[in-house]
Amino acid sequence: MADENATLRIGDETWEFPIRSGSVGPDVMDIGTLYKHTDRFTFDPGFTSTASCESNITYIDGDAGILLHRGYAIDDLAEHGDFLETCHLLLYGELPTPAQKKDFEERVTYHTMLHDQMTRLYSGFRRDAHPMALMVGVVGALSAFYHDSTDITDPEQRDIASLRMIAKMPTIAAMAYKYTVGQPFVYPRNDLGYAANFLQMCFAVPAEDYKVNPVMARAMDRIFVLHADHEQNASTSTVRLAGSSGANPFACIAAGIACLWGPAHGGANEAALNMLHEIGTPDRIPEFIARAKDKNDPFRLMGFGHRVYKNYDPRAKIMQQTCHEVLNDLGITDDPILDVAMELEKIAVEDPYFKERGLYPNIDFYSGITLKALGFPTDMFTVLFSLARTVGWIAQWREMIEDPRQKIGRPRQLYTGETHRDYVPVDKRK
Ligand code: SDX
């Protein structure tokens, strides 16, 4: 609903563009007709000032450090809820009733197994491949096995594809882990909850019974909740753009996984733990703080800063609490890397360079320490992020597909290359 207009004046010409307000957050100027009327584009590399879509799934207030999923604060969902009810909320817009929760959990549980022929895909990879390479490959290959849920125009098929993605990601991720450590695959079990099932698929071995530690399962589930969705981040925007061409949902999620892999995005949890290990001891922190400020040094504090949060990432606070809970439960009272992380945070958040730029710990700063304590190797951290974020990608993809105004995403450019040149035959070139 247009509330007022924005006026653009260039020379003696003026144009009016409607300003629209959301339920909360910044207004937008609807410039969809800008090129048609002015023969000019906007220019916004990195989309720092661009709203790419209208959505009612997740809202972030970067200055206040607030994250809402369908209006519910991440703090409440992480503390009082669980991952599958968060999935229901993100997909269908409401927290489930007891009957809906039971039905949703059952529907997910009975989709956790993979087509058995897919297990052979793994053997085509080197054992020392990064597990994210396996995730991109195997998830993309789902469309070669589940043809009955690739017709994006059929709401039924969209729903089955959504459930299959949420249900099968833990199985695919656990198999990626088992393959890289040379252990046999462990199949999902229908008598375990979502996070517990994932832990047993990762850490059970045929040689003995495996008992899931309930504290670890609760921590794993909460970590999944914290990573579930996050508005129009790079990987979600990738999924939306891929989906705007009509590509099948499995291919779109594989594209999202590929984008998440980068160290500036989901790969930061792996990079942050590697950085903490490189720092090693608190006395080396000043050296790394200086490097992070040095414009001639590409080094950045991994797990710090965010495009939207210019305050503390609310997920980082919950992750830090979870980290302490897991370490305490495991009896790890003197983790030197945690000491480095807490000292680094203390110094950085007081440093004018970081304060002026609104650089605070983000979700990736403490997640690595927690995941390592849960028994995962560093190269599995982004895999776990992609497992949890799948529901967010799927929810955003569905919203885009179901939007009657949806069209293929096709940005333009500011061209600064060569203008026309005549062709020169190769024997005439110097
Ligand atoms: C995730 O978008 C999402 O929502 C992502 C995510 C999700 O849930 O989907 O939240 C998950 O990706 C979290 C972010 C994980 N990435 C990292 O921790 C990598 C380290 N962080 C940076 O690379 C950076 O902060 C970004 C990429 C996260 C954000 O970069 P922006 O918004 O493009 O900011 P910028 O590069 O323009 O930086 C602004 C200033 C610059 O200095 P000046 O040019 O103003 O002097 O801050 C500096 C930057 O040099 N800066 C940092 C820094 N991050 C920004 N300086 C040192 N260390 C850092 N980490």
Side-chain angles (χ1 to χ4, degrees):
M1 177 60 190
D3 301 338
E4 54 179 313
N5 287 338
T7 304
L8 174 65
R9 181 190 312 283
I10 301 176
D12 52 8
E13 288 188 284
T14 57
W15 298 271
E16 302 274 310
F17 297 98
I19 292 177
R20 294 183 54 204
S21 303
S23 41
V24 66
D27 288 350
V28 297
M29 290 175 280
D30 184 340
I31 52 156
T33 60
L34 179 82
Y35 179 55
K36 193 170 103 189
H37 293 316
T38 72
D39 204 25
R40 293 173 175 86
F41 301 134
T42 59
F43 184 67
D44 183 18
F47 310 124
T48 52
S49 304
T50 294
S52 61
C53 63
E54 178 176 337
S55 179
N56 54 34
I57 298 174
T58 290
Y59 174 68
I60 303 171
D61 180 332
D63 294 333
I66 290 170
L67 168 58
L68 304 178
H69 290 316
R70 306 281 193 182
Y72 292 96
I74 190 65
D75 322 63
D76 291 337
L77 294 170
E79 190 184 339
H80 307 301
D82 62 42
F83 183 62
L84 283 188
E85 80 166 19
T86 303
C87 289
H88 187 283
L89 175 66
L90 289 168
L91 287 177
Y92 306 116
E94 296 297 338
L95 287 170
T97 61
Q100 287 169 335
K101 183 167 178 160
K102 185 169 176 300
D103 171 61
F104 186 73
E105 285 170 346
E106 270 171 20
R107 288 165 68 206
V108 170
T109 298
Y110 287 91
H111 277 293
T112 49
M113 284 190 68
L114 268 189
H115 187 298
D116 212 46
Q117 233 176 287
M118 291 197 78
T119 58
R120 291 188 221 144
L121 286 174
Y122 290 84
S123 55
F125 291 91
R126 283 177 34 168
R127 289 277 182 178
D128 62 350
H130 193 292
M132 282 297 278
L134 278 70
M135 294 302 289
V136 173
V138 175
V139 171
L142 285 168
S143 43
F145 289 84
Y146 296 100
H147 304 91
D148 61 341
S149 59
T150 52
D151 175 359
I152 60 160
T153 62
D154 177 350
E156 271 294 299
Q157 292 200 28
R158 292 202 297 269
D159 209 43
I160 293 174
S162 306
L163 282 170
R164 278 178 167 153
M165 287 305 321
I166 293 165
K168 296 183 193 309
M169 280 300 273
T171 312
I172 293 167
M175 287 180 169
Y177 169 64
K178 284 301 206 188
Y179 184 73
T180 55
V181 295
Q183 289 183 358
F185 294 148
V186 174
Y187 285 89
R189 287 176 40 178
N190 293 345
D191 61 335
L192 291 177
Y194 191 85
N197 207 359
F198 175 63
L199 291 176
Q200 74 93 16
M201 287 192 280
C202 288
F203 300 125
V205 288
E208 58 188 28
D209 287 343
Y210 177 80
K211 196 153 171 25
V212 178
N213 175 331
V215 173
M216 301 302 120
R218 176 74 192 117
M220 190 79 262
D221 190 270
R222 188 184 303 157
I223 290 168
F224 289 158
V225 171
L226 294 177
H227 288 82
D229 189 48
H230 212 236
E231 200 212 71
Q232 306 310 319
N233 57 82
S235 52
T236 298
S237 302
T238 301
V239 171
R240 278 181 171 261
L241 197 55
S244 73
S245 76
N248 73 72
F250 306 116
C252 295
I253 299 303
I257 295 172
C259 175
L260 187 77
W261 195 355
H265 190 13
N269 52 19
E270 177 176 354
L273 193 72
N274 291 337
M275 173 192 73
L276 292 171
H277 278 289
E278 192 187 348
I279 295 173
T281 52
D283 62 313
R284 292 196 62 204
I285 289 173
E287 170 196 335
F288 284 81
I289 294 270
R291 284 188 56 197
K293 297 180 190 176
D294 179 355
K295 292 302 168 203
N296 300 317
D297 188 332
F299 172 79
R300 286 195 166 182
L301 283 188
M302 300 316 282
F304 256 78
H306 199 276
R307 170 63 56 78
V308 179
Y309 290 121
K310 299 309 171 194
N311 195 326
Y312 218 100
D313 180 337
R315 304 168 297 172
K317 280 203 185 99
I318 303 166
M319 183 60 77
Q320 190 189 40
Q321 290 156 14
T322 306
C323 185
H324 284 295
E325 278 170 29
V326 167
L327 294 181
N328 289 341
D329 186 77
L330 291 171
I332 303 171
T333 50
D334 58 351
D335 181 339
I337 295 302
L338 178 62
D339 296 344
V340 171
M342 294 186 64
E343 183 61 16
L344 174 58
E345 176 194 344
K346 203 156 104 255
I347 296 171
V349 297
E350 287 313 314
D351 185 298
Y353 175 92
F354 294 90
K355 285 172 89 165
E356 283 153 20
R357 291 166 176 79
L359 302 176
Y360 291 87
N362 58 50
I363 189 165
D364 295 309
F365 190 62
Y366 286 103
S367 57
I369 301 168
T370 316
L371 296 173
K372 192 161 175 50
L374 288 173
F376 293 101
T378 313
D379 62 9
M380 274 294 290
F381 294 174
T382 311
V383 170
L384 301 181
F385 195 149
S386 67
L387 186 170
R389 183 53 58 88
T390 293
V391 63
W393 290 329
I394 282 278
Q396 301 271 351
W397 169 79
R398 286 158 68 110
E399 184 176 67
M400 184 262 309
I401 294 284
E402 289 158 12
D403 181 343
R405 296 162 300 181
Q406 189 267 329
K407 52 171 65 177
I408 190 167
R410 206 281 186 214
R412 303 300 302 275
Q413 63 181 7
L414 172 67
Y415 179 68
T416 53
E418 295 286 347
T419 54
H420 179 76
R421 295 193 280 178
D422 294 329
Y423 183 79
V424 178
V426 64
D427 54 358
K428 296 269 186 307
R429 293 173 211 152
K430 299 219 182 358

